[in-house]
Amino acid sequence: MPSNKKLLILPGDGIGPEVMAQVRRVIDWMDRRRSVGFGLEEGLVGGAAIDGEGVPISDATMDKAMTADAVLLGAVGGPKWDNLPFAQKPERGLLRLRKEMVLFANLRPALCFDALVDASTLKPELVAGLDIMIVRELTGGIYFGEPRGIEMLPDGTRRGINTQVYTTPEIQRVARVAFDLAKKRGNRLCSVEKANVMESGVLWREEVTKLHAAEYPEVELSHMYADNCAMQLVRNPKQFDVIVTDNLFGDILSDAAAMLTGSLGMLPSASLGATDASGRRAALYEPVHGTAPDIAGQNKANPLATLLSFAMMLRYSFDLAEDAELIEQAVQDVLAAGKRTGDIAKPGQATVSTSQMGDAILAALDKRAA
Ligand code: NAD
């Protein structure tokens, strides 16, 4: 029987294939023990695609991504391809995926696992139990606005120009994703902009307020200026449930929030696009970290960020919240049992390899499902 869950796996470069191999074991486990039944395809992206197919992502792989129910990506890039011209770099593969799949909402959870409370630079009481979600607008705003460029002025000096621009539909579609998420979580949404100094911020605030009144009156909505939000994230991060913000502020605030939890090796993400007539939403899931060339090929990388990205996929693309929770609990279990890859180990603490972390996760899943 053809599977109704078409999943495209793009391991990419560096530690990408190593961490993805562990996620593949969990996918096999899910198929065997939970009858999840994925139709799996695998493809090349980034440096691996440049080496194998001559381009950062081939049209054939793009076609597969466009028709898949979800894409799971490792990471792309590395020193081998650093000197290529910009248009041929590994990152272009990722950018093409984001652009052609029109992935306008980037979801970045910041979740503090109990066993890793000490890994944060903040005091344990500020981050223990932390569970916030930042929704960043990903395809508009100042990174794409026109006019842009660097121009020469008559006096011989130069002027650099970028334009922050948002339309009503762009604000509404990302805000809807955030409101829907809030409804499934703590029912609170904080919308972040700089309406005090930017017209695009005024529009953002007005459109979010209107949408709230029209479609989501049951969600508790607040507004905050981006500079204050940055302060509040490090002063009292647990005050937030879901945050929605534009591309530029989201870029900065999601990285700040990520570090509240301590390690890059633990951070998943999702990028969502529009829903088509059949209800299928374009979606790409990937860890926040890169290809870690310093440890690539050494069986040292932490596979948990990619595994948690897969758990996000189960929840948001396939509505399998129970299975997602099972994986998240298995992660809690292995951390509570003291299993640590190098990136999350305290000085002097024993470490496990990438594959041993995979073994521990499978054992924890077996135990939970017994
Ligand atoms: P990086 O995230 O690859 O690594 C930063 C540091 O964190 C390194 O010390 C690395 O060893 C460590 N680290 C990262 N992930 C880890 C994991 N899962 N387990 C254990 N340790 C981990 O960032 P970088 O060094 O700035 O970039 C390296 C390459 O990755 C570059 O080519 C960059 O362009 C690329 N990159 C790709 C993406 C992506 O594909 N989305 C994102 C960021 C960087």
Side-chain angles (χ1 to χ4, degrees), residues 300-367:
K300 284 183 180 169
N302 185 348
L304 296 180
T306 309
L307 182 60
L308 291 168
S309 303
F310 172 67
M312 287 185 85
M313 170 190 295
L314 292 176
R315 181 171 282 121
Y316 297 121
S317 282
F318 300 118
D319 226 0
L320 295 171
E322 230 178 78
D323 297 273
E325 259 162 46
L326 192 62
I327 290 175
E328 287 155 2
Q329 283 163 352
V331 170
Q332 296 267 20
D333 292 346
V334 300
L335 294 174
K339 305 285 183 204
R340 299 281 187 278
T341 42
D343 58 311
I344 50 173
K346 286 188 203 153
Q349 193 175 9
T351 59
V352 298
S353 67
T354 309
S355 47
Q356 285 169 333
M357 187 57 105
D359 296 342
I361 290 287
L362 289 178
L365 285 171
D366 278 338
K367 208 163 163 192

Side-chain angles (χ1 to χ4, degrees), residues 15 19 73-78 82 91 94 98 264-265 286-295 300-302 343:
I15 61 169
V19 294
L73 185 130
V76 298
D82 274 352
E91 291 73 17
L94 187 49
R98 286 181 184 157
L264 218 44
E286 57 181 325
V288 169
H289 63 71
T291 56
D294 51 334
I295 56 166
K300 284 183 180 169
N302 185 348
D343 58 311

Side-chain angles (χ1 to χ4, degrees), residues 201-223:
V202 172
L203 182 77
W204 183 283
R205 187 175 288 220
E206 287 176 0
E207 294 297 348
V208 172
T209 304
K210 267 195 236 167
L211 186 69
H212 174 242
E215 295 179 26
Y216 300 94
E218 71 281 21
V219 177
E220 194 184 307
L221 173 67
S222 59
H223 302 274

Side-chain angles (χ1 to χ4, degrees), residues 2-120:
S3 169
N4 59 353
K5 297 186 190 68
K6 275 171 64 186
L7 168 51
L8 176 65
I9 293 187
L10 302 173
D13 309 317
I15 61 169
E18 295 168 62
V19 294
M20 198 62 86
Q22 301 312 313
V23 179
R24 286 295 291 258
R25 295 173 71 196
V26 174
I27 295 176
D28 289 346
W29 188 94
M30 283 279 158
D31 271 344
R32 243 184 11 256
R33 299 291 300 272
R34 308 274 299 175
S35 306
V36 172
F38 285 108
L40 287 189
E41 287 201 277
E42 193 162 322
L44 299 177
V45 68
I50 293 171
D51 291 352
E53 300 171 338
V55 281
I57 188 163
S58 69
D59 292 343
T61 306
M62 262 324 297
D63 285 348
K64 285 182 190 165
M66 299 300 283
T67 53
D69 292 309
V71 179
L72 182 64
L73 185 130
V76 298
K80 183 176 175 195
W81 306 281
D82 274 352
N83 295 324
L84 288 174
F86 187 68
Q88 294 162 29
K89 277 187 186 292
E91 291 73 17
R92 302 301 295 180
L94 187 49
L95 294 176
R96 184 170 173 199
L97 279 165
R98 286 181 184 157
K99 185 166 173 222
E100 292 184 22
M101 292 170 76
V102 198
L103 302 171
F104 59 80
N106 183 223
L107 277 52
R108 291 269 299 262
L111 194 118
C112 190
F113 288 95
D114 292 345
L116 296 183
V117 159
D118 292 335
S120 174

